[in-house]
Every structure is written in structure tokens, then in C-alpha cells.
Amino acid sequence: VWLTEREADAHSFVSAPGVQEGVQQLALLSKDSATPVQNFVTSSAAAQVRDFLEPFMAAQRYEDYLVISPDRRILAASNPANVGLYAPSNYDAFLRRSLAGQTTVSRPFLCEILVGSGRLVPAMFAAAPAVQYETNVIAVLALRMRPEGEFSRILGAARVGESGEAFAFGRDGVMLTASRFEDDLRALR
């Protein structure tokens, strides 16, 4: 249910007339590869997207957003320092699905909040395609959330085993949920 709600959020946000129109303008602006990054940051389209999303993101506990083009260039973002950069390769799992027309929620993973900073934090994204003419994906709206919030709380409600704790791990063995043993686990590194 929780994943379905996050997908519904992303879909309804990207489908809202103000966001849809702003993303279309940003996509049009991105067709000229010589367009300076500052033109994206200061555009009325970026302001329109931001002004619509900010109150809803706060209410739904999303940390920030990105509008990402099919060539993986960031066209708009909560943090303007990300605009003009390319989405890191670890975004590919959710980006591929959304660029193929699917609304999705990523598994938790470590990502850079400021692309290229090297500072990694746990994150999940609810992502939805921005579509023009019913089937043409022109961008992806990605809403970042913290997995140690609701995701861990919901999983923790499972209350299994002797300790009553449940944990999720990625394919690479990285713990995806919060734990009361986080400090001890970090000390093992």
C-alpha cells in the first residue's frame, strides 16, 4: 500500500497542469545543448515546477525533487546546484523504468544529494514519467525520500523473531533499513 501511495504521489504531481506545463517548457529548452545552465535555473518553468511541488513535498515528507531528461541531464531540482549535471549511474534502475513510461519507487540505495559531491546518503525515489502526446516521455520527475523514515517504520512493524526487528538488505548486502545497531555496524567497517 505504501509503495502504491508513493507511486500515486509521483504520478499526480507530474500530471498536475502547472508541473506538466513547466516540465514541457524545460524539455523544450533542453533541446538546444548550448543553453546555459543558468537559463534553466532562472526560468519561469523551473519556478512554476518548484512553486507547485514545494508545499506538497513538505506535506508528504519528500526531501527534494529532480526533473531529469531522457539523456539523464538534470533540468530542474530543489537544489539548483544539481541543474545541468547528469544523474549518477546508480539512478539507472528507476530512471530506466520511468523513461520507459512506468511510475516506480526505487529500492533504497546510497546516493549523492549534491551530484558529484561524493557525500552519500540513503535514499529512495518515487519517479514518474512526464509524457507529451500520450506516449512520448519528455522527462522524469523524481521525488527523493529518506528510507530511514516511513519505509523503515513500516518494515519494523513486522515484529518477527526474538528481537522483534526486521531488516531489508540489497543484493549487494547493504542494509537498506534503519537499525538500533547502526553505530555498532559502522564501527565494523
Side-chain angles (χ1 to χ4, degrees), residues 155-180:
L155 191 64
R159 312 294 296 168
V160 297
E162 281 185 39
S163 71
E165 291 188 85
F167 305 105
F169 293 87
R171 287 187 191 112
D172 54 4
V174 173
M175 184 179 278
L176 303 176
T177 52
S179 166
R180 63 187 168 133

Side-chain angles (χ1 to χ4, degrees), residues 5-167:
E5 289 173 355
R6 301 293 75 82
E7 288 174 349
D9 285 348
H11 179 75
S12 65
F13 290 179
V14 80
S15 301
V19 173
Q20 197 171 49
E21 182 181 305
V23 170
Q24 287 175 358
Q25 290 173 16
L26 289 164
L28 189 60
L29 193 58
S30 74
K31 289 196 182 289
D32 180 359
S33 61
T35 302
V37 170
Q38 196 58 29
N39 288 16
F40 288 96
V41 173
T42 60
S43 70
S44 60
Q48 187 173 356
V49 170
R50 180 190 63 244
D51 292 347
F52 179 87
L53 289 177
E54 282 183 347
F56 292 106
M57 288 178 41
Q60 298 296 332
R61 295 188 179 116
Y62 291 104
E63 298 294 314
D64 51 34
Y65 71 89
L66 301 166
V67 175
I68 304 169
S69 70
D71 69 354
R72 291 169 167 62
R73 186 174 178 198
I74 299 171
L75 306 179
S78 298
N79 182 344
N82 282 323
V83 176
L85 302 175
Y86 287 86
S89 61
N90 61 351
Y91 287 28
D92 283 351
F94 74 84
L95 274 179
R96 259 195 318 269
R97 288 191 298 252
S98 289
L99 287 169
Q102 293 179 291
T103 300
T104 189
V105 174
S106 74
R107 68 170 185 82
F109 66 101
L110 293 174
C111 82
E112 296 173 304
I113 301 309
L114 177 59
V115 177
S117 70
R119 182 173 170 260
L120 299 173
V121 298
M124 290 177 75
F125 284 89
V131 179
Q132 187 176 37
Y133 308 121
E134 296 187 32
T135 59
N136 182 30
V137 176
I138 58 171
V140 169
L141 173 65
L143 306 167
R144 185 177 65 84
M145 57 195 135
R146 295 173 47 180
E148 63 269 24
E150 286 184 71
F151 178 72
S152 288
R153 184 182 52 77
I154 290 166
L155 191 64
R159 312 294 296 168
V160 297
E162 281 185 39
S163 71
E165 291 188 85
F167 305 105

